[in-house]
Amino acid sequence: MAAVESSLPPGTPSAMRNAFGTVLSALILVLIGVLAFSIRLFSVIKYESVIHEFDPYFNYRVTQFLSKNGIYEFWNWFDDRTWYPLGRVIGGTVYPGLTLTAGTIWWVLNSINIPLSVETVCVFTAPVFSAFASWATYLLTKEVKGSGAGLAAAALLAMVPSYISRSVAGSYDNEAVAIFALIFTFYLYIKTLNTGSLFYATLNAIAYFYMVCSWGGYTFIINLIPMHVLLCIVTGRYSPRLYIAYAPLVVLGTLLAALVPVVGFNAVLTSEHFASFLVFIIIHVVALVYYIKGILTPKMFKVAVTLVVSIGLVVCLIVVAVLVALVASSPTGGWSGRSLSLLDPTYASKYIPIIASVSEHQPPTWPSYFMDINVLAFLVPAGIIACFSPLSDASSFVVLYIVMSVYFSGVMVRLMLVLAPAACIMSGIALSQAFDVFTGSIKYQLSSNSKDDAEDNTTTKNAPKDDAASGKTDKGEEVAKERSSKKGKKKEREPADKPSVKSKIVKKKALVLPLETSIVALLLLIMLGAFYVIHCVWAAAEAYSAPSIVLTSKSHDGLHVFDDFRESYAWLSHNTDVDDKVASWWDYGYQTTAMANRTVIVDNNTWNNTHIATVGTAMSSPEKAAWEIFNSLDVKYVLVVFGGVIGYPSDDINKFLWMVRIGGGVFPHIKEADYLRDGQYRIDSEATPTMLNCLMYKLCYYRFVETDGKGYDRVRRTEIGKKHFKLTHFEEVFTSHHWMVRIYKLKPQKNRIRGRAKKLKLKTSSGVSSKSAKKNPWM
Amino acid sequence: MAINKKLLSLLLLVSSLSSIALSSSSFSDPDSDSDLTNELVSLRSNSESGVIHLDDHGISKFLISSPTPRPYSILVFFDATQLHSKTELRLQELRREFHLLSATFLAANNNGSDLNKLFFCEIEFSQSQSSFKRFNVNALPHIRLVTASTSKLTDESGQMDQSDFSRLAESMAEFVEQRTKLTVGPIQRPPLLSKPQISVIVAMIVVAAPFVVKRILRGETLLHDHRLWLSGAIFVYFFSVAGTMHNIIRKMPMFLQDRNDPNKLVFFYQGSGMQLGAEGFAVGFLYTVVGLLLAFVTNVLVRVGNVNVQRLVMLVALVVSSWAVKQVVYLDNWKTGYGIHPYWPSSWQ
């Protein structure tokens, strides 16, 4: 925008218009920021200012630690309250970007005497960063197709449901800041590519560093940018600007990435990063070729080309051989499980149940796209085509971005989040182009009808319009207007595109559509946009705002609130000893440590499969064997989540098969088939004896029959199979108001003498069981 | 194959003669046991992967008339050529895996003492129908382990479950190892390309590379064609939003047969977690067509001179686009119960 103004002499009408445009688009950007922030506040309004779900509780706990103890303590933090008895080195295993960001915000606010609590800062970090992300989208799209498209894309991103789902107030997770970092890194890359400025290249490396700090998804960047560079080279678009955009990023970026403890030497050792190094070598070879081409005569160059190509090939082959050797020496080929399941989508379901078990790692069906990017799904193809006419370095990058992200989103529903910005950019470009054409046609037809003067067209068409008042058409106006300034800018910046742009302007005189159909098309587009807005507001309000720590349900007699989780965690923190160990399935680990401040065995950071499998085995074993396992882990309380009374479907009984699978993956005596009747998972009278006797069944359904006299499970919609039974090794100590959380205490060991004779006999038994058998008084 | 069959019938003839001759001898004669084993070994050596093709005679000889406990176990694969065309049974795939399992077992126990304790056999339905009856096999795919102590062929305890060949040869090997206590060893699949093939390909790449690089430098390849990239990008987009990856990973069919009415085909599945192939492509098409029409109107149609053509084409495009959007909303509503509502100010109501 500044470039446009400086290029025009001040005082002329068009300079005035541009100044007005700058102010107007700044105002619109502020409004977009407000929109992005406020649409994410539904969760606070409908529920309360509370941290959501599971992972955010861990981040919140880390932030609390950081704000209390300072950064050095945080860096060296060894957490002994989780993964008992192993513990976890938090400083070295966590992406610190989010925590440091929120910690910094809290520190700045406090030092200027705004006394917000850490929790408040954490709750509102995500909405604030969504505003930043939409501004970054504006910048990125402006670099690609001008500020009109930029504004449209920013407005779309501000309310795209996919992004809302991960960034509502209270959803304090890595993705909240990472999407901003992702878009901003891409913007700086494109900016460097367009300007060839080392300043932006350095900023780009720093933005990449921030991204590496924030999210494991940074590997998407470090593979996408090399791919784009390679694409540019292959299609003959190499330029010194490309070199400046890429080489500093690889060198500085890799060095900086290695500074993050959780990445460390992975930045140079794992296959995810090899593509960037390979392209780094290729771009040097190509740069050399271009340099030699410049200093030699064409004839000499032909001779030289053979030489250089052969040397370059040899170097490449050697490097490839080294890489292959390195990759082959590691068991998974140097790829992490999650990345492998992207390349070979069937990988995870075959080999890694713990990845396959997470619902956000499932492949999406078509309704997911409609839910998460809504009408953008219709507009993206038009955006792709718009990017091809004409194709520039920048537009080829966004095309590559959408293609890669849409493919990856097809493999894992979680990566829909990476697709969302790309879809917004593409749709912004498409909308901007469509509004440009339609409003231009209307303007042309109207003015030619009234004046019958064909020569006046170009100027009137490029002038800003001031009809129509709805929000969408506001954008349309912008689109029409800003495209003219874009053309001016492009002319001076990209000499390569000059002829095509110029010819387009000349041709544009005749590029109009009939008046009536243009108006209808415009109206339909506005309706489409209105539908998008309604959908997004609805999705933000209804679908994505539930904190999942407090549940509500509406029935004919009003609103019911289920606050059982906090009730139980509060019970734990008030009624148990501070050093007691609580066992539960890993989903509730973070919440237990953060809210109840009790030591847990496993948590949502699923780094140790064996440990999780141990808990899974305990849950799937009969009472006695489970007691042994838990006792060997010093567990004092077992917590299960049960939804059968109120119909809460994501309870432990529904997750139970995964416990069996994960447990059976490490301890083969747990077999999934034992829990299934003819391949069907059931808990009614047809259920297998193994199922009816396992700990999870007993802990969930203990005394359940007392609730209604029949034992009718409202989630499974059936009467349970075994209704009256007693617990021998566990005793119930707490059941929450709606029975959603039930806490049991392990019964203490009885007098040792009683079982002594039998115990001696059992010493011959092998493995884990013999170890724990020593402690078991009942055998 | 023909030679094999001839040889087989010859051997059977010889063996049946000898068995008649030997039938008078004592019941669990170690000599006859070792004879049977030797015969199996020789039969096995005729086959490349070590799978013995048996028919009714072979079954009766090696499994029925032989006294228990036999010195060997036999893993039988039940095959039916007429069912090979039914791909959902995966008979041919399983048969290949079975052969692979056998080859692996042979390789792993090449010199070991366990080599002659387990034999891999297959019988074909059209050749040995009575054996199918004897084994009481009504449905395929079916793999049965007849252990050394199994006396009744109808005893179905040795049957391999669906889950045991779900992961192909690997899970079959686990089953065998579990039941027979023999080691099969890690399954070694033949690599996709053999070593000479790889070296030829590498050599071709090396030779071709300079020419390719030269063409790239000149800018003459297919890769410089924007239309190719454009259609590729649109195709990937269509492919993904249609949920094709879901269909591949979950192995979803294109359509289902209606349970109530077998003549009716079900193309759309109600429920959000799943989709059928045809359904995905239909909606993917609806997703893509709107954008393509919009791009056509804004990029191509504006260049058309004739106003009436413009008017007509735009009208068609608008009708099709709004129909597509409506259709997707309707389908989504039908499939997932999707229903949105705006939030008007309460004073308006």
Side-chain angles (χ1 to χ4, degrees), chain A residues 42 231 233-237 289-290 293 301-302 305 309 313 317 345-346 349-351 362-371 373-382 384-386 388-389 391 399 402-404 406-411 419 430-431 433-434 437-438 441 504 507 510-518 520-521 524-525 528 531 534-535 537-538 541-542 671, chain B residues 167 170 178 202 206 209-210 213-214 216-218 221 223-224 226-227 229-230 232-234 236-237 239-246 248-251 268 271-275 279-280 283-284 286-292 294-299 301-304 307-308 310-312 314-315 318-319 322 324-325 328-329 331-333 335-336 338-344:
Chain A
F42 277 109
L231 193 80
I233 292 173
V234 168
T235 53
R237 305 186 75 98
V289 170
Y290 274 84
K293 197 177 183 180
F301 177 70
K302 264 192 182 171
V305 113
V309 162
L313 269 181
L317 275 181
T346 51
S349 57
K350 273 189 220 153
Y351 302 108
Q362 308 298 327
T365 53
W366 67 262
S368 316
Y369 285 94
F370 195 73
M371 184 65 201
I373 58 173
N374 198 247
V375 303
L376 306 187
F378 295 111
L379 296 171
V380 169
I384 295 176
I385 292 172
F388 273 91
S389 54
L391 192 67
V399 170
I402 184 100
V403 168
M404 296 316 291
V406 84
Y407 167 74
F408 287 145
S409 75
V411 179
L419 166 70
L431 269 185
Q433 193 195 30
V437 169
F438 294 139
S441 307
K504 213 181 168 190
K507 264 189 193 170
L511 295 190
V512 286
L513 293 165
L515 178 65
E516 334 65 71
T517 45
S518 295
V520 174
L524 282 179
L525 270 186
L528 198 69
F531 180 72
I534 292 174
H535 172 88
V537 174
W538 173 83
E542 304 286 331
K671 290 190 200 70
Chain B
R167 280 186 300 120
E170 280 81 0
Q178 200 184 346
V202 167
V206 169
V213 169
K214 203 174 162 190
I216 287 173
L217 287 181
R218 281 211 209 126
T221 51
L223 296 176
H224 291 78
H226 287 177
R227 271 166 293 176
W229 289 103
L230 176 59
I234 298 283
V236 172
Y237 182 76
F239 180 84
S240 301
V241 291
T244 318
M245 289 316 296
H246 171 269
I248 293 173
I249 294 172
R250 295 280 153 78
K251 298 199 177 85
F268 283 84
S272 59
M274 240 174 62
Q275 71 171 35
E279 170 187 355
V283 179
L286 292 178
Y287 276 147
T288 319
V289 74
V290 178
L292 289 180
L294 184 64
F296 177 76
V297 168
T298 52
N299 288 309
L301 199 66
V302 284
R303 292 172 213 278
V304 175
V307 180
N308 282 329
Q310 279 186 334
R311 203 164 275 151
L312 195 74
M314 257 191 96
L315 213 62
L318 288 178
V319 168
S322 42
V325 175
V328 170
V329 175
L331 281 173
D332 198 25
N333 182 20
K335 191 177 172 75
T336 64
Y338 168 83
I340 59 169
H341 54 87
Y343 294 86
W344 301 117

Side-chain angles (χ1 to χ4, degrees), chain A residues 595-611:
Chain A
M595 281 194 271
N597 191 24
R598 292 293 171 268
T599 308
V600 296
I601 308 300
V602 291
D603 67 24
N604 310 46
N605 176 266
T606 51
W607 66 276
N608 188 326
N609 195 23
T610 319
H611 223 50

